Amino acid sequence: MNVPAWLLRHRISVEPYAGDSAYGPRYGPPVEDVPALVAFRIRVVRDREGREVTSTATIYAGPDLAAQCPPESRITLPDGRTTRVIAVAAHTAPGLPVPESTEVSCE
């Protein structure tokens, strides 16, 4: 069971991180119009290297977003701001009647 579609009121755009080049980070083709719920709140999270960083937005979406959105990806939020993914957490509960979702912490 996935998170109900009626909860995902916002639309975001995701440019998946594809690695670094001599000119900076590279991104894959953008995935447009991704349904999500965006919470603009400030909190401290750990990045993939274990450092504590400040997150200003948390995105909740369906479980398929985890594969499309690795850390360092670029996301365009509903307000037009472009941000970087700090951490991605897939919430699954096999066998339990709770919705599966993805939580993305952004700069």
Side-chain angles (χ1 to χ4, degrees):
M1 171 174 29
N2 293 341
V3 64
W6 59 269
L7 285 175
L8 307 177
R9 308 298 285 178
H10 300 112
R11 296 294 180 263
I12 61 171
S13 174
V14 178
E15 295 174 72
Y17 179 70
D20 288 322
S21 72
Y23 302 103
R26 292 183 307 119
Y27 300 97
V31 180
E32 302 285 338
D33 201 37
V34 177
L37 177 66
V38 181
F40 294 100
R41 63 179 182 166
I42 297 173
R43 65 185 184 135
V44 176
V45 297
R46 292 199 182 270
D47 66 6
R48 64 183 179 167
E49 295 173 357
R51 295 178 300 207
E52 287 186 347
V53 294
T54 303
S55 169
T56 60
T58 304
I59 298 169
Y60 302 95
D64 54 335
L65 184 64
Q68 300 171 346
C69 186
E72 303 297 324
S73 294
R74 194 164 44 193
I75 292 182
T76 303
L77 298 173
D79 64 0
R81 182 170 58 113
T82 302
T83 185
R84 183 181 61 89
V85 173
I86 298 170
V88 178
H91 299 293
T92 62
L96 295 177
V98 296
E100 295 182 358
S101 64
T102 301
E103 178 182 351
V104 179
S105 299
C106 300
E107 280 189 332

